[in-house]
Every structure is written in C-alpha cells, then in structure tokens.
Amino acid sequence: MREFKLILTQHRWFTFLCSLTLLWVILAMIAPLFAPHDPLATNFAKVLQPASSEYPLGTDQLGRCVLSRILYGARTSLLLTFMMIGIVFVLGVTIGVIAGFARGLTDTVLMRLSDTLMAFPGLIFAIAVVGMLGPGLFNTVIALAVVWWAKYARLARSLVISLQQREYVAAAAFSGARKIQIITRTILPNMLSPLIVMAMMDVGGMMLSISGLSFLGLGAQPPEPEWGAMLNEGRRYLQTAPWLLIYPGLAIFCTVIIFNLLGDSLRDVLDPKKKAA
C-alpha cells in the first residue's frame, strides 16, 4: 500500500489518468441515474431535434434521446471491452505458460497456431468468425477473443522462457517445489507487469474493433445502444442531423485516447529502468 501511494505521488499524470478513467467507468456503470430519458423510448413527434434543454444532445431518427443512448452505450462498450480483455488475457497467458514450460511438440503446435492467427488481418478474421456464428454482442466478443489471444500467448511464452533462467526460479526448483508452485508463486508474479501494460494499451484497440463490427451490423443489434451501432444508424443523416455521428464518435475518440494515454503512462510507471533511475 505504501508503494502504491508513492507511485501516485511521484506520477501525478498517471494519477490524473487513473482518476479520469475511474470517473468515466463509474459514470457508465450508473448511467440510469444520469440519463435524462429511456434510451429505448421512441417519440416520433420529436424526430431529429437538435440540442435543447429537454434533449441536451438532440434526438435521433426515432425520437430517442442521444445523450441517454451514449451513456447507456458507454456501459455496453466498456463492459464488452473489459470482458474481452479478461478472456484474451487468461486464455493467452495460459497457453503461453503451457508452451513455455512444455516446449517440444506442444510448444511448436501452439506457437504455429498463434503465428497463423497473427498472419491474418485481425478485423477481417473476426468478421469471418462472426459471419459463421451470427451477429450479436456475445459472438463479437468470442470472434475478437479468437484473434487477440495469440499476442498474449507469445509474450507470456517468451517471459516464461526468460524467467526460467533466473536464479530464484532455479532455487525454487532445487528446493523441491512442484511446477505448478513455481509457476504460480515465482514466475507469474514476475511476468504480470508487461502483460498488464499490454492489456491496458489494447483496451482502445479492442473498443475500436467492437465498435467497428457493430458499425458493420455484426455486433450490437437494434435497438441496443452501442456507439458503433449508433454511428451506423446516424451515417445516413450526416447532412441533416450531424450530431448523430459527432457525439458517438467523440465518445469513442475520447475513451480510446484516455485508455491509450493510461496504458502509456502505466508502462512508464512499471518500467524498471526508470524506477532504478
């Protein structure tokens, strides 16, 4: 706890970004308390109205409150992104650790599989998977997880192989510790930092991928409020109601920028060279 407080004191930019991210996540989770209207309620008497006191960000083509849909869409987008981060992180690290410890044929098969997945453009491969599974938010997460785990597996494997050469790992093995104990107590705690930094820096990219699939009609389905789907619905009204594109686009842009800056700042905080300096 004392080390964490010291980090927050020394890295004020990181502290600011953490606070901003936490505030945005909390706002998304308690969206019903701030949303002025039901995001699914239609009102054809107030279609495509500009910003007003009743509708701060205007209404869409069905008379729904854009602000309410953006707030609820934040919850959907963030929840899906964090869910995908968790799936990819656990799956990739598990496969990487198995490959790094087993070596031989197991290592070869798993790494060739990851090479095959990484050889394809990620979004194109995800579109193919969603096309086979069918459109929907859950299928979108599964499709993107199938693509993204490979890079985590390769990093985890390289870290395992590198850490196996350290003296404290050899000492644990000579003391009679089993492999599972060496992995969980010695290796995993020392390999989490670069993996966490990678996961944090991937949040923006994963959110863009989810929004991209929803924009193509393969992710969130109407009337589900989701930023990518909102962009898809509003693109035909670019000239008559540009706020249908501007506000969801700004929400995606600001969220991606915040998480990218947070990941970059976290990398600086956890950099052992800078700690030593």
Side-chain angles (χ1 to χ4, degrees), residues 12-86:
R12 295 184 179 180
W13 175 241
F14 174 70
T15 305
F16 170 74
L17 290 173
C18 284
S19 303
L20 190 61
T21 304
L22 183 61
L23 178 63
W24 184 227
V25 171
I26 292 176
L27 182 63
M29 293 302 104
I30 60 175
L33 298 178
F34 292 94
H37 300 278
D38 183 350
L40 304 181
T42 59
N43 187 349
F44 292 100
K46 299 183 177 181
V47 171
L48 298 179
Q49 286 195 350
S52 63
S53 58
E54 184 179 3
Y55 298 99
L57 298 184
T59 62
D60 64 5
Q61 72 280 7
L62 297 178
R64 297 172 297 191
C65 177
V66 174
L67 176 59
S68 300
R69 291 182 63 78
I70 287 178
L71 290 175
Y72 275 83
R75 183 167 58 176
T76 302
S77 297
L78 290 173
L79 180 62
L80 289 177
T81 302
F82 291 146
M83 184 187 303
M84 197 174 89
I85 282 284

Side-chain angles (χ1 to χ4, degrees), residues 19-226:
S19 303
L20 190 61
T21 304
L22 183 61
L23 178 63
W24 184 227
V25 171
I26 292 176
L27 182 63
M29 293 302 104
I30 60 175
L33 298 178
F34 292 94
H37 300 278
D38 183 350
L40 304 181
T42 59
N43 187 349
F44 292 100
K46 299 183 177 181
V47 171
L48 298 179
Q49 286 195 350
S52 63
S53 58
E54 184 179 3
Y55 298 99
L57 298 184
T59 62
D60 64 5
Q61 72 280 7
L62 297 178
R64 297 172 297 191
C65 177
V66 174
L67 176 59
S68 300
R69 291 182 63 78
I70 287 178
L71 290 175
Y72 275 83
R75 183 167 58 176
T76 302
S77 297
L78 290 173
L79 180 62
L80 289 177
T81 302
F82 291 146
M83 184 187 303
M84 197 174 89
I85 282 284
I87 294 173
V88 167
F89 190 90
V90 173
L91 180 62
V93 171
T94 301
I95 292 176
V97 169
I98 292 173
F101 259 93
R103 308 299 292 274
L105 180 61
T106 302
D107 180 26
T108 301
V109 171
L110 292 176
M111 290 302 101
R112 294 299 77 77
L113 177 60
S114 67
D115 289 342
T116 302
L117 290 174
M118 293 178 68
F120 289 96
L123 190 59
I124 302 300
F125 191 80
I127 290 174
V129 175
V130 175
M132 292 186 291
L133 297 177
L137 292 176
F138 180 76
N139 290 342
T140 297
V141 173
I142 296 299
L144 291 172
V146 169
V147 176
W148 284 78
W149 68 264
K151 58 189 296 187
Y152 289 84
R154 294 201 67 85
L155 177 58
R157 172 186 175 273
S158 64
L159 290 171
V160 167
I161 294 175
S162 174
L163 290 172
Q164 281 179 316
Q165 312 301 322
R166 302 294 177 88
E167 295 180 355
Y168 54 84
V169 176
F174 287 137
S175 66
R178 294 179 297 178
K179 281 190 176 182
I180 187 65
Q181 293 176 325
I182 295 175
I183 293 173
T184 56
R185 297 180 182 179
T186 307
I187 291 183
L188 276 179
N190 289 283
M191 61 184 285
L192 283 179
S193 293
L195 289 168
I196 291 174
V197 170
M198 176 184 283
M200 187 60 64
M201 299 192 72
D202 278 346
V203 169
M206 290 183 180
M207 183 171 290
L208 284 175
S209 297
I210 292 174
S211 298
L213 289 177
S214 295
F215 179 80
L216 295 174
L218 298 175
Q221 300 299 302
E224 180 73 26
E226 198 276 335

